[in-house]
Amino acid sequence: MHPIRKKRLTIVLFLLAGIGVAVGLTTYALRQNINLFYDPSQIAAGEAPHDVRIRAGGMVEKGSVVRDPESLKVRFRVTDFQSSVPVEYTGILPDLFAEGQGVVAMGKLDAGGSFVADQVLAKHDENYMPPEVAESLKKTADGQPVANGAAQSASY
Amino acid sequence: MWQFFHKLGSPKWFYGISTRLMPWLLVIGTALLMAGIVWGLAFAPKDYLQGDSYRIIFIHVPTAFLAQSAYIMMAVAAVVTLVWRMKLADVFVKAVAPVGLVITFLSLFTGAVWGKPTWGTWWIWDARLTSMLILLFLYGGVIALDRAINDEKSAARAVAVLVLVGVVNIPIIKYSVEWWNTLHQPATFKLTEKPSMPAEMWVPLLLAVLGMYLIFGWLACIRMQTEILAREQKTRWVKDLVMAGRH
């Protein structure tokens, strides 16, 4: 290769490496701000600030959804299979909201450690399957509840 | 190998070869894209969780793939512009940037349309969506910078540097869903693993992706040809070509 081109190529590579390092360090420093939500474990460990609007995300714990028959109020627990956080929300939930599904809730942690949400968004995973397949998977999994839990935490 | 590389840099040679290639790109690309979309929208099974609304994946994923691939191709061309000063590489960047802008917009738009019924919101400032929006602005910036500088050579170099600076955004888009907590789900197509959907879903998706790439190739060729004719209008071969077209 021609020496001038070699020199230019080196400059280009240095430029790329420099920008890469700069952006890498910046995003690393800002990682907590780039993260969309806190995990229940982070909230349990006291990493999430109180009385500031934050997002909490995780799975809706099975059997934890309690709806108020008089209003739109709903309570449930959000879990990452290590810790869980109680969430209160008043409003209409997205269609995909269900026990065992992922959610991201926006709101504030109150002094008692429960999360008062004013927005609940549904999070779904990257696995798509026809209803019949999901049905038969569910049947198999019902025989082995432990394996089911493990598979879910892996996909979450 | 170098000989081929330098031949590739000749606008005349490229004009000839692309003229022969373009009908194939258009016909096969349209066929694949139509097959993938019709199969995906009408015949593929619905999703157990999202029902029919997941079907927008058959447009969303091809546009999102292409939006990123087109930028990577532009970055490769930018290196060629800076190191080898090959005119054709600059023509490519200039021709592809508006296509990339439209494709990126389409992927953001289809993503928003998909997000409303599934997540419950059109938009959220998570890492994936935000980095994709930055990609849209990068395409816009490339077009604007190119138009702002009148001198062809200075414009080519300035644009190439901008494209290269922006290329760090591509790994951020790709890995945003793994590095950070996002509302956006991780990738369904992975390089090393089987896709996390059954074949009757991923085959039409793959067809649509391939079709989209070929149509992109056709668009790139036709736009590059226009740019080449404009730039080379004073040369002998372009004059001959135009005269031949008149008869």
Side-chain angles (χ1 to χ4, degrees):
Chain A
M1 201 152 78
H2 199 282
I4 289 183
R5 288 176 186 154
K6 207 167 215 169
K7 198 175 140 202
R8 287 190 200 134
L9 187 62
T10 324
I11 295 173
V12 165
L13 291 179
F14 268 105
L15 175 85
L16 276 178
I19 300 162
V21 169
V23 172
L25 288 173
T26 314
T27 49
Y28 181 74
L30 294 175
R31 65 193 180 284
Q32 194 51 66
N33 289 320
I34 298 174
N35 274 333
L36 185 71
F37 53 82
Y38 289 93
D39 290 331
S41 304
Q42 288 175 306
I43 293 172
E47 282 177 40
H50 285 248
D51 292 324
V52 177
R53 270 169 67 82
I54 55 164
R55 290 199 184 91
M59 288 280 191
V60 180
E61 203 168 275
K62 291 222 163 142
S64 74
V65 178
V66 182
R67 286 173 203 270
D68 182 355
E70 304 287 302
S71 67
L72 286 173
K73 204 167 182 176
V74 58
R75 282 162 196 279
F76 52 91
R77 297 186 71 85
V78 166
T79 176
D80 59 359
F81 302 102
Q82 278 155 20
S83 313
S84 71
V85 176
V87 178
E88 284 174 30
Y89 173 67
T90 308
I92 296 165
L93 290 161
D95 290 350
L96 253 57
F97 180 90
E99 291 181 358
Q101 281 297 323
V103 287
V104 174
M106 184 149 188
K108 285 179 186 173
L109 269 180
D110 68 8
S114 76
F115 192 85
V116 185
D118 49 47
Q119 184 194 38
V120 174
L121 301 175
K123 180 172 160 64
H124 64 85
D125 61 22
E126 74 280 23
N127 300 304
Y128 305 89
M129 54 183 132
E132 310 84 60
V133 178
E135 195 61 35
S136 67
L137 271 184
K138 206 176 158 197
K139 266 183 203 149
T140 340
D142 281 346
Q144 309 145 313
V146 184
N148 185 25
Q152 271 188 346
S153 74
S155 70
Y156 159 71
Chain B
M1 188 236 156
W2 287 111
Q3 208 181 354
F4 174 76
F5 192 61
H6 287 289
K7 215 175 172 186
L8 197 69
S10 143
K12 187 186 171 190
W13 182 82
F14 175 82
Y15 194 95
I17 195 94
S18 59
T19 307
R20 269 185 284 159
L21 200 63
M22 275 165 53
W24 295 102
L25 289 173
L26 183 63
V27 169
I28 301 174
T30 312
L32 287 177
L33 186 65
M34 292 318 289
I37 286 180
V38 170
W39 185 357
L41 295 188
F43 299 105
K46 57 175 156 183
D47 180 52
Y48 74 110
L49 192 62
Q50 301 179 30
D52 281 323
S53 67
Y54 95 100
R55 289 183 198 279
I56 203 158
I57 201 174
F58 295 105
I59 299 166
H60 178 68
V61 166
T63 52
F65 270 12
L66 189 56
Q68 296 167 70
S69 309
Y71 199 90
I72 296 173
M73 292 180 224
M74 274 170 52
V76 172
V79 173
V80 176
T81 304
L82 287 177
V83 177
W84 284 274
R85 302 277 143 91
M86 194 185 278
K87 277 192 218 156
L88 206 57
D90 172 46
V91 169
F92 177 81
V93 173
K94 217 177 161 179
V96 158
V99 182
L101 183 89
V102 171
I103 289 285
T104 311
F105 176 78
L106 275 179
S107 92
L108 284 167
F109 180 78
T110 52
V113 171
W114 192 8
K116 186 64 185 167
T118 48
W119 300 340
T121 183
W122 299 103
W123 183 262
I124 188 163
W125 293 99
D126 86 345
R128 170 57 73 83
L129 275 64
T130 309
S131 55
M132 207 61 192
L133 186 67
I134 292 172
L135 183 68
L136 182 79
F137 293 155
L138 277 170
Y139 277 121
V142 167
I143 298 168
L145 186 63
D146 185 63
R147 299 265 166 92
I149 304 173
N150 279 329
D151 178 52
E152 207 172 81
K153 278 183 185 163
S154 339
R157 282 180 215 173
V159 163
V161 172
L162 176 62
V163 169
L164 275 184
V165 170
V167 83
V168 282
N169 190 38
I170 297 293
I172 295 181
I173 297 177
K174 173 94 178 76
Y175 293 106
S176 54
V177 287
E178 290 167 30
W179 290 342
W180 301 293
N181 288 334
T182 54
L183 187 61
H184 194 286
Q185 67 282 4
T188 298
F189 272 144
K190 296 170 201 87
L191 280 179
T192 48
E193 292 166 49
K194 282 202 320 186
S196 44
M197 47 170 38
E200 61 263 44
M201 290 178 180
W202 69 253
V203 173
L205 184 52
L206 188 67
L207 292 182
V209 169
L210 291 176
M212 197 71 101
Y213 274 88
L214 292 182
I215 289 179
F216 168 79
W218 177 76
L219 274 171
C221 282
I222 200 165
R223 292 183 55 85
M224 282 174 79
Q225 287 195 340
T226 316
E227 180 70 23
I228 286 171
L229 290 184
R231 284 191 187 190
E232 308 268 311
Q233 53 185 303
K234 296 216 172 76
T235 60
R236 186 72 209 222
W237 71 271
V238 172
K239 281 181 184 157
D240 287 348
L241 194 78
V242 173
M243 292 316 282
R246 283 220 181 124
H247 291 297

